[in-house]
Structures are given as structure tokens and as C-alpha cells.
Amino acid sequence: MTREEFQQIYGIAGESTAIKEIAGTVMQVASTNLSVLITGESGVGKEVIAQAIHGASLRAKNKFVAVNCGAIPETLLESELFGHEKGAFTGAHESRKGFFELADNGTIFLDEIGEMPLGTQVKLLRVLESGEYNSVGSAESRRTNVRVIAATNKDLDFEIRKGMFREDLYYRLRAVSIHIPPLRERVEDIPILFNLFVDQVKKKHHVELKGISPGAMHRLETHTWPGNIRELKNLVETMLVLERGDLITETTLDKYLPIRQSNSFLPVQLLNKTPEQAEREIMIRALIELKNEITALKESLQSSVQSGMVIVHPDGNKSSGTPNLPLNISIEEAEKILIAAALQRNHFNKRKAAKELGISERTLYRKIDLYKIPFDSSYEKLFM
Ligand SMILES: Nc1ncnc2c1ncn2[C@@H]1O[C@H](COP(=O)(O)OP(=O)(O)OP(=O)(O)O)[C@@H](O)[C@H]1O
Ligand SMILES: [Mg+2]
């Protein structure tokens, strides 16, 4: 199989030197049992690469179990990974299989490995070295044959220096290490990915697109993409659904790219639309405006905080930069909207979103799970 065919099969789009090298490495190491550590910013494609490694391995017919170590409460992570016995802890009414048992003969993908507590790291090191583990509450060792792929957007060297990550585990995990550079460092992939996502969205939403002007493409190529490929994919989806077939120009992009955002009302073209389509567009526009307002509020709050100025409302409360949410919604609904908006605003960077919301990353993960906020989506899916 050529590298081009391999990339095609496993959905790894891109022709930059970095992506070609990564695809080459994946082809070489897939069939081995070596652990792989994948690093890179949020949205660069770490999970895509992990899936390709599993898919091209001899384990492909067995399970690929993805575990987000940041999303599971610390106290539960160990029993989720290794299982537990009946009565092992309060609430353990039945014994339960862990992910390492479920993934036997397959691959386990430990996402956000930087979030794993030190105690669990010791146990992970043991499985990596001997294939042995104990389920929680059991004195009996079990064996498992699992290939471990880990991913993180944290700087693990720094975590080691802080004493938050074990150095021995780090070296054990990075038998093969793959770093995926951010999209802004592989500009030549931008048109390729853009065209790929356009084709996907056309099929998914049955929409057309006349094309994109050279100026607009240049704008995409010079954007910094803090949310990387996920941000580009979301942009294409939102833009195509809303622009319905029109040529994408720089003016179109002004409406969707975070910089040069305007707060002016976006006109909604309602002619030749069914009532459902029109209603949907108005709602989506309203949500985009809500997002713009939140961003503007935050920015003004941040600049006033930076300049040492605190906004005080007539009732004496300090402004928290909270958007004007409808008053007739539940706290859960409001929380969901605030979280979704913060994720969008931070280009799906969970760490930044959590910081902005004033909650821990782990709490944010839990809420994303709880409210089923689609992590990889357009405004539509996020809010409706
Ligand atoms: N090379 C690629 N070709 C096509 N699509 C890609 C590529 N890389 C990533 N994507 C798409 O971009 C989105 C983000 O990718 P992925 O979830 O793998 O990123 P990630 O690095 O795991 O992000 P996070 O750190 O936030 O978990 C997904 O929808 C994925 O399908
Ligand atoms: Mg991921």
C-alpha cells in the first residue's frame, strides 16, 4: 500500500511534510505492539491518528477502546480502567469489567493522559511492563494483552518537573512518539482540508457551494486556527449551511472568523425558503449574535479588568460578563448554553474554556458528558 492510499483509507488528509512523515510512521509502527504517545494541540487530529494505528494493526478486528482520562472523576478512573469486585467500595453492588479487560487483544486509547492521577499512573506502568493488573478490591492479578496509545495536549516534560507525571511512565509510553503540529504550521494542508470538508458537508446537508474566492482562501491560509482542524471543519459546516451555495468571499469569512467580528445584525435572506428553513436560519443567526455579544462582553470585561477598572451595576453587583440569557430557562439549560458558548469561543480548547468558566477541566469534561454537548459540531448541534 502506498502512503497516499493509506492516508485515503484512514482519513488522514494533508500533503504537508509533517503529515506525510506522520503517516509514514503510522504505517511502520501499526503492526508492532509498541506504545505510542501522540502529542499536539487540541483539534490537530490525535484521535484520527490513534484510530489509524489500530485500524492498520493486527488488532484491528478487536476493540479500540477510547478513554478520556480527563472526563472521568479521579476516584472512579481506576475502577473504570481495571474493573472492580462486588463490594470493593460503597456503591459497588456488582463486579464490573474494566476497559483493560474489554480491550483485551485490542487497543486502548488513553486520551488526555496528562490528567491521570499519580496513583493510577503507577498501575498503568505495571500493565505496560508486565501486562498484569488487579481489579479494584481483588488480590488476584489478571493478565491482559492490550496495545496502549496515549494522547495529550499538555507538555508532559513540564508536568514531570512539577511532579505531576511519572518520568518512568513517560519513557515507557513514548516508545514511539508522534507530534502533530498545529494547522498554522502546515498551511499547505488548509486548501486540501477545506475541500474535503466541503465535500463532506455537501453530502451530509445536501447543500451546494459555488466556490471560494482566492482572497478568501488566502484568508483561511493566514488565519491562526487556535482550534486547528476541528475549528476549520466547524467553520466549513456552519458557513455552508448558512450561505447555501453562494461563493465564499472575504466578506463571507468576516462573519464567521473570530477576528474582525462585527456586532452588526446579519441580514437573513428569507426569500425562496420554506418556513422551516427560514426559522432555522433566524435561530442560527440569533445564536451567532448571542455568541458575538458574549465575546464582546468578555472582551470589554477583560480590558476593564486589565485597566484596573471594575464595572459596578446600579444594584452594586460587579459585572461578571454573563450574557443576557432568556429568563425562562432552567439553570441546567443556562449552564449548557454558557459551556457551549465558552467552548465555541475558545475554539474547543477545553483548558481555556474551563479557565474562562472558572471550573476545573475535569468538571468541564463531566458537564460536556452530562449535557451531551457535541464536542465536534456546528452551532446548530450545540444549541438545539
Ligand atoms: N488529517 C485529517 N484529515 C481529515 N480530518 C481530520 C484530520 N485530522 C483531524 N481531522 C478531523 O478534525 C477533528 C478533530 O480531530 P481529533 O478529534 O482527532 O483531534 P484531537 O487532536 O484528538 O483533539 P482534542 O485534543 O481536542 O481531543 C475531527 O473531526 C477529525 O475527524
Ligand atoms: Mg481527541
Side-chain angles (χ1 to χ4, degrees), residues 31 52 64 68 94 123 147-148 150 175 179 191 215 218 226 230 235 260 264 267-268 279 286 292 307 323 353 358 368:
S31 61
F64 174 88
N68 187 332
E94 299 295 333
K123 294 178 175 144
R147 205 261 185 89
V148 176
H179 176 69
H218 179 71
R230 180 178 291 113
L235 171 86
R260 292 199 229 158
S264 62
V268 182
E279 192 180 26
N292 287 346
S307 63
I368 290 173

Coordinates of all heavy atoms in Angstrom, one line a residue, residues 31 52 64 68 94 123 147-148 150 175 179 191 215 218 226 230 235 260 264 267-268 279 286 292 307 323 353 358 368:
S31 N 1.8 -2.3 13.0 CA 1.7 -3.7 13.2 C 2.5 -4.2 14.4 O 2.5 -5.4 14.8 CB 2.2 -4.5 12.0 OG 3.5 -4.1 11.7
A52 N -6.1 5.2 13.2 CA -5.4 4.7 12.1 C -4.4 3.6 12.5 O -4.2 2.6 11.9 CB -4.6 5.8 11.3
F64 N -11.2 -1.2 19.9 CA -10.5 0.1 20.1 C -11.3 0.8 21.2 O -12.4 1.2 21.0 CB -10.5 0.9 18.8 CG -9.8 2.3 19.0 CD1 -8.5 2.5 18.8 CD2 -10.6 3.4 19.3 CE1 -7.9 3.7 19.0 CE2 -10.1 4.7 19.4 CZ -8.7 4.8 19.2
N68 N -11.3 8.8 27.9 CA -10.9 10.2 28.2 C -10.6 10.3 29.7 O -11.4 10.5 30.5 CB -12.0 11.2 27.8 CG -11.5 12.6 27.9 OD1 -10.6 12.9 28.7 ND2 -12.0 13.5 27.0
E94 N -22.3 -4.7 42.2 CA -21.9 -5.8 41.3 C -20.4 -5.6 40.9 O -19.9 -4.5 40.9 CB -22.7 -5.7 40.0 CG -24.2 -5.8 40.2 CD -24.7 -7.2 40.8 OE1 -23.9 -8.2 40.5 OE2 -25.7 -7.2 41.5
K123 N -0.2 2.2 38.4 CA -0.9 0.9 38.0 C -0.8 0.8 36.4 O -0.7 -0.4 35.9 CB -2.3 0.9 38.4 CG -2.3 0.8 39.9 CD -3.6 0.9 40.6 CE -3.2 0.6 42.1 NZ -4.1 1.3 43.0
R147 N -2.7 -3.1 23.5 CA -1.7 -2.1 23.0 C -2.2 -0.7 23.5 O -3.4 -0.4 23.4 CB -1.8 -2.1 21.5 CG -0.6 -1.6 20.7 CD -0.6 -0.2 20.2 NE 0.6 0.0 19.5 CZ 0.7 -0.2 18.2 NH1 -0.3 -0.7 17.5 NH2 1.8 0.1 17.5
V148 N -1.3 0.1 24.0 CA -1.6 1.4 24.6 C -1.2 2.5 23.7 O -0.1 2.6 23.3 CB -1.0 1.6 26.0 CG1 -1.3 2.9 26.5 CG2 -1.6 0.5 27.0
A150 N -1.5 6.7 23.9 CA -1.9 7.7 24.8 C -1.8 9.1 24.0 O -1.0 9.2 23.0 CB -0.9 7.8 26.0
A175 N 7.5 5.0 23.5 CA 8.3 4.0 22.8 C 8.3 4.6 21.3 O 9.3 4.6 20.6 CB 7.7 2.6 22.8
H179 N 4.4 13.7 17.1 CA 3.9 15.1 17.4 C 3.2 15.6 16.2 O 3.7 15.6 15.1 CB 5.0 16.0 17.8 CG 4.6 17.4 18.0 ND1 3.8 17.8 19.1 CD2 4.8 18.5 17.2 CE1 3.5 19.0 19.0 NE2 4.1 19.5 17.9
P191 N -6.1 24.2 2.1 CA -7.0 24.1 1.0 C -7.5 22.6 0.8 O -8.6 22.4 0.5 CB -6.2 24.5 -0.2 CG -5.0 25.2 0.3 CD -4.8 24.7 1.7
G215 N -9.0 35.3 -2.6 CA -8.8 36.2 -1.4 C -9.2 35.5 -0.1 O -8.6 35.5 0.9
H218 N -6.9 32.8 0.8 CA -5.7 33.3 1.4 C -6.0 33.6 2.9 O -5.1 33.4 3.7 CB -5.3 34.6 0.6 CG -4.1 35.2 1.2 ND1 -2.8 34.7 1.1 CD2 -3.9 36.4 2.0 CE1 -1.9 35.4 1.8 NE2 -2.6 36.5 2.3
P226 N -6.5 28.6 16.2 CA -6.2 28.0 17.5 C -7.0 26.7 17.8 O -6.5 25.9 18.6 CB -6.7 29.1 18.5 CG -7.5 30.1 17.6 CD -7.1 29.9 16.2
R230 N -10.4 20.9 13.9 CA -11.7 20.9 14.3 C -12.4 22.3 14.1 O -13.5 22.4 13.6 CB -11.8 20.6 15.8 CG -13.2 20.6 16.4 CD -13.3 20.3 17.8 NE -13.0 18.9 18.1 CZ -12.0 18.5 18.8 NH1 -11.1 19.4 19.3 NH2 -11.7 17.3 19.0
L235 N -16.1 25.5 11.0 CA -16.3 26.7 10.2 C -17.0 26.3 8.8 O -18.0 26.9 8.4 CB -15.0 27.4 9.9 CG -15.1 28.6 8.9 CD1 -15.5 29.9 9.6 CD2 -13.8 28.8 8.2
R260 N -11.9 40.3 13.4 CA -12.7 41.3 12.7 C -14.2 40.9 12.8 O -15.0 41.0 11.8 CB -12.4 41.2 11.2 CG -11.0 41.7 10.9 CD -10.9 42.0 9.4 NE -9.7 41.4 8.8 CZ -9.6 41.1 7.5 NH1 -10.6 41.4 6.7 NH2 -8.5 40.6 7.0
S264 N -22.8 43.9 14.1 CA -24.0 44.4 13.4 C -24.9 43.2 13.0 O -24.4 42.1 12.9 CB -23.5 45.0 12.1 OG -22.9 44.1 11.3
P267 N -28.0 40.2 8.1 CA -29.3 40.1 7.4 C -29.6 38.7 7.0 O -28.7 37.9 6.7 CB -29.1 40.9 6.1 CG -27.6 41.1 5.9 CD -26.9 40.9 7.3
V268 N -30.8 38.3 7.2 CA -31.2 36.9 6.9 C -31.9 36.9 5.6 O -32.9 37.7 5.4 CB -32.0 36.3 8.0 CG1 -32.4 34.9 7.7 CG2 -31.3 36.4 9.3
E279 N -37.0 29.6 9.6 CA -37.0 29.7 11.1 C -35.6 29.2 11.6 O -35.1 29.8 12.5 CB -38.1 28.7 11.6 CG -38.4 28.9 13.1 CD -39.5 27.9 13.5 OE1 -39.7 26.9 12.9 OE2 -40.1 28.3 14.5
A286 N -29.4 34.1 15.3 CA -29.6 34.7 16.7 C -28.5 34.1 17.6 O -27.9 34.8 18.4 CB -31.0 34.4 17.2
N292 N -21.5 36.4 19.5 CA -20.7 37.7 19.3 C -20.9 38.6 20.5 O -19.9 39.2 21.0 CB -21.2 38.4 18.1 CG -20.7 37.6 16.8 OD1 -19.8 36.8 16.9 ND2 -21.3 38.0 15.7
S307 N -7.3 47.1 32.9 CA -7.0 48.5 33.1 C -7.3 48.9 34.6 O -7.4 50.0 35.0 CB -7.8 49.4 32.2 OG -9.2 49.3 32.4
P323 N -23.7 36.7 29.7 CA -24.6 37.1 28.6 C -26.0 37.2 29.1 O -26.4 36.7 30.1 CB -24.5 36.0 27.6 CG -24.1 34.8 28.3 CD -23.3 35.3 29.5
A353 N -11.4 27.1 27.9 CA -12.9 27.2 28.2 C -13.1 27.0 29.7 O -13.8 27.8 30.3 CB -13.7 26.2 27.4
G358 N -14.3 29.3 35.0 CA -14.0 29.3 36.4 C -14.2 27.9 37.0 O -14.6 27.8 38.2
I368 N -19.7 18.3 29.9 CA -19.9 18.0 28.4 C -20.6 16.7 28.2 O -21.5 16.6 27.4 CB -18.5 18.1 27.7 CG1 -17.9 19.5 27.7 CG2 -18.6 17.5 26.3 CD1 -16.5 19.6 27.2

